[in-house]
Amino acid sequence: MAPYIGTATSRVDGRAKVTGAAKYAGDFNTGGLAYGAVVASTIPRGRIARIDARDALRVDGVLDVITHDNRPRMADRSAAYKDDVAPEQGSPLRPLYDDKIMFNGQPIALVVAEEWEIARFAASLVRVDYAPEAFVTDLQARRDAAFVVEKPEKPRGNAAKAYAAAAVRHEAEYSVPSEYHNPMELFASTVTWDGDGKLTVYDKTQGVQNVQHYLCSVFDMKPHDVRVISPYVGGAFGSGLRPQYQVVLAVLAALALQRSVRLVLTRQQMYGLGYRPATIERLAIGARQNGTLDAISHEAIAITSQYEDFSRNDTGWSGQLYRSANARYAHRLARLDLPTPADMRAPGAGTGVYALECAMDELAVALRLDPMELRLRCYSDRDQHEDVPYTSKKLRECYSQGAAAFGWDKRSPAPRSMRDGGELVGWGMASGIWEALQVEISTRIVLTANGHAEVVSAVSDIGTGTYTIMAQVAADMLGVPVDNVTVRLGDSTLPQSPVEGGSWTAASIAHAIAITADAVRKELLRLAKSMPGSPLAAAKPGDTALVDGQIVDQTSAGRAVSVADAMRHGAVDRIERQGTARFKDLSSHARNTHSAIFAEVKIDEELGVIRVTRLVNAVAAGRILNTKTARSQIMGGVVWGLGMALHEEALVDHGFGRIMNANIAEYHVPVNADVYDIEVIFVDEPDDLVNPLGIKGVGEIGLVGTAAAIANAVYHATGKRVRDLPITLDKLRR
Ligand code: MOS
């Protein structure tokens, strides 16, 4: 039996997903289910003067209309609504709490009815009178009032002075609009009323225990009265990190009616949730003629809401990518009458590294240097923020292997110098960086005498492949075929797990499984040693492994006892162990993943239509657990980056403070016709420091840098630099 770690194992949940057997939050059924429909505010700021629900209540089949006036009791302290991912500063949204309106699309009433269609129709009959107040939803209008909430990475030297004295300088502003998640699965909760105030909550979430703790604190319930279950998630990537308001409303209705309730948001209502905040990025880079850097200043101004201060690390990435004695970072927030932003694949890096990597490309042009050569000349072997080395950093290999696969050496440097028939051809590249985080997480393994194992944890699989890598690691560590491993996750009653996010899950849960499987192995060895004439009598625990259903002494071929015999002898039919992965604070080293991405665009010179014909992404992310699911993660991130470069943009009518394209017809994302050839390369990156298995995680790194590589390719093709995303054809023509 070959090892599974490092192979292209197909998704263990793939069959369930493609046959429809996999159930999502809105799919769970129970008798007597009532259905909710949300009424959302149509003004961005003010007070609700009056809600008239009489017409709605007259509709046959309507059970209730819940508003701030008549809702059941909820916690009145805003702290009770702070989930694990809530921003430190501010007071989270409390749906239906009072008459205050803080953004357009805020939930202000919930209609509950016998049928979903009835609820939705009745919701259209709810009349709301507002006392509106003046509002602002435009980042540009508030940029000068932006304020600092969080200290960014610490500065080095004197960046302003060094910049002023630099031989070659580049300074510019780049901007990214607000982008929305648009996962396939709508946010949904099905709450079953189990009697005696006990609830089972099927929720779309990246963290069942986060939701459980949150619901307990909002509704003052006991942990054993609320079980949160989320076996499958149809895309989340940050949008499901925080409990969304529909879970609060569904529970509120279930408690009010003492009945099971389902609430599924509409696609339009999904635009009333968190989003990647619109950000203005200002870069100033000073270099010597030889392409080494003297100064980097990076300032970001991003959107936040009226009620919470959301910020992420946009600006610090250059301290890890490029050597510069002088550097300065600033992150400011502009308060607008919009919902609080949220994490969205590679939050901070997605926007910050886009700007950094476009600025580096512009600097390369100013220096008349190949853009990849510039990056090699200021390559940083140490993390300059903490002045420490990396556990591993094979970014040089990403550059060389990516460039070789792409054919970068055939690039002709001058803009507009490459053509293919009527199309201009452009080649651009960028670097990517993300963190290799790890979190404390627990798992439980049950190995039965028939050679089956069950591996469980409260962790989520947001579509990234967690089920599969858990099964692979357990199979290897327990010496059983992957088909003999059953994984259960996404249930708050299972061993402790934080939210799945930040690309930290694979490394963390794999380590927890390895530790726990180790405890199972030690117990099996103890049983095997006690067998009369045991061939393992003298075996040391550290020398044994579980291989093909046997406990094997690896120092002496042939010394082995079958797992089944050991268990039979010990008169046990199952071995159960629970373990927790804890990670030492590695302040001696920086932990990051890196990438180099190369893009080819072909642009119709007359129409300005851009096709991204080739993308090569070379990624260094430690040991790759599953080359198939990891490749899918990188491809997904790359497509997302393509959308960021060319398509995605929430268009807000600042006169109404409302998104005009709150639907997936007019909010553009890449479709199959936009995606041509994507090649993913995993660079060999052994790492015995980051964790025992050498795993770093690949969730977000695929997105980082992609938009910049495409933007740089567009410049190379056309000679026109568009710094405000998305690069639409009108911007190329103007
Ligand atoms: Mo992460 S922002 O949950 O993909």
Side-chain angles (χ1 to χ4, degrees), residues 181 206 236-239 241 343-347 462 500-503 700:
H181 271 277
Q206 290 173 243
F237 304 109
S239 61
L241 287 172
D343 290 306
M344 179 160 153
R345 274 276 114 148
I462 60 173
E500 170 167 45
S503 302
E700 348 233 351

Side-chain angles (χ1 to χ4, degrees), residues 373-391:
E373 178 59 28
L374 169 62
R375 284 156 173 93
L376 291 169
R377 290 195 190 177
C378 50
Y379 193 90
S380 181
D381 285 304
R382 292 173 75 80
D383 169 0
Q384 296 165 98
H385 301 308
E386 301 302 328
D387 193 25
V388 291
Y390 292 89
T391 58

Side-chain angles (χ1 to χ4, degrees), residues 229-523:
I229 295 179
S230 179
Y232 294 100
V233 178
F237 304 109
S239 61
L241 287 172
R242 302 186 68 182
Q244 296 291 6
Y245 69 73
Q246 96 288 339
V247 74
V248 178
L249 299 187
V251 169
L252 192 67
L255 293 173
L257 300 173
Q258 305 215 336
R259 191 174 160 170
S260 300
V261 173
R262 171 176 301 153
L263 177 57
V264 182
L265 297 188
T266 63
R267 182 58 66 180
Q268 192 172 10
Q269 286 165 352
M270 298 282 285
Y271 288 79
L273 307 178
Y275 51 95
R276 192 194 296 284
T279 309
I280 301 164
E281 310 266 350
R282 195 165 187 86
L283 264 297
I285 311 182
R288 299 177 191 187
Q289 282 297 353
N290 67 3
T292 58
L293 305 186
D294 279 331
I296 297 184
S297 294
H298 191 164
E299 178 188 11
I301 307 173
I303 285 181
T304 197
S305 67
Q306 294 291 353
Y307 50 99
E308 285 174 306
D309 295 348
F310 176 92
S311 74
R312 290 292 178 261
N313 171 24
D314 275 65
T315 62
W317 304 101
S318 66
Q320 298 171 307
L321 282 171
Y322 305 123
R323 202 153 26 90
S324 172
N326 304 287
R328 188 180 64 91
Y329 312 100
H331 192 101
R332 294 192 287 146
L333 295 180
R335 213 179 271 303
L336 296 173
D337 298 290
L338 292 168
T340 304
D343 290 306
M344 179 160 153
R345 274 276 114 148
T351 40
V353 174
Y354 151 70
L356 172 66
E357 289 301 285
C358 289
M360 287 295 282
D361 197 71
E362 296 202 53
L363 182 67
V365 172
L367 285 162
R368 296 174 191 281
L369 257 185
D370 176 88
M372 188 170 80
E373 178 59 28
L374 169 62
R375 284 156 173 93
L376 291 169
R377 290 195 190 177
C378 50
Y379 193 90
S380 181
D381 285 304
R382 292 173 75 80
D383 169 0
Q384 296 165 98
H385 301 308
E386 301 302 328
D387 193 25
V388 291
Y390 292 89
T391 58
S392 58
K393 178 176 176 176
K394 296 283 182 209
L395 177 56
R396 276 185 214 282
E397 289 74 4
C398 294
Y399 291 135
S400 59
Q401 292 180 32
F406 187 84
W408 185 254
D409 60 343
K410 292 178 205 69
R411 180 178 186 263
S412 121
R416 306 181 64 86
S417 63
M418 293 169 70
R419 278 177 183 276
D420 178 6
E423 288 177 308
L424 294 164
V425 175
W427 288 5
M429 60 83 58
S431 317
I433 179 169
W434 187 247
E435 299 170 281
L437 299 166
Q438 354 195 46
V439 292
E440 185 172 316
I441 193 166
S442 301
T443 187
R444 185 171 62 236
I445 295 177
V446 177
L447 180 70
T448 41
N450 63 2
H452 279 78
E454 187 185 60
V455 186
V456 304
S457 170
V459 71
S460 305
D461 183 341
I462 60 173
T464 43
T466 310
Y467 276 106
T468 309
I469 58 107
M470 284 175 71
Q472 287 176 269
V473 175
D476 277 2
M477 299 295 164
L478 297 170
V480 301
V482 79
D483 290 341
N484 284 14
V485 179
T486 304
V487 176
R488 284 199 299 128
L489 49 70
D491 181 335
S492 61
T493 61
L494 297 175
Q496 178 276 333
S497 168
V499 293
E500 170 167 45
S503 302
W504 59 54
T505 296
S508 307
I509 194 69
H511 189 40
I513 292 170
I515 289 171
T516 311
D518 227 38
V520 171
R521 177 177 55 82
K522 284 182 181 140
E523 174 61 6

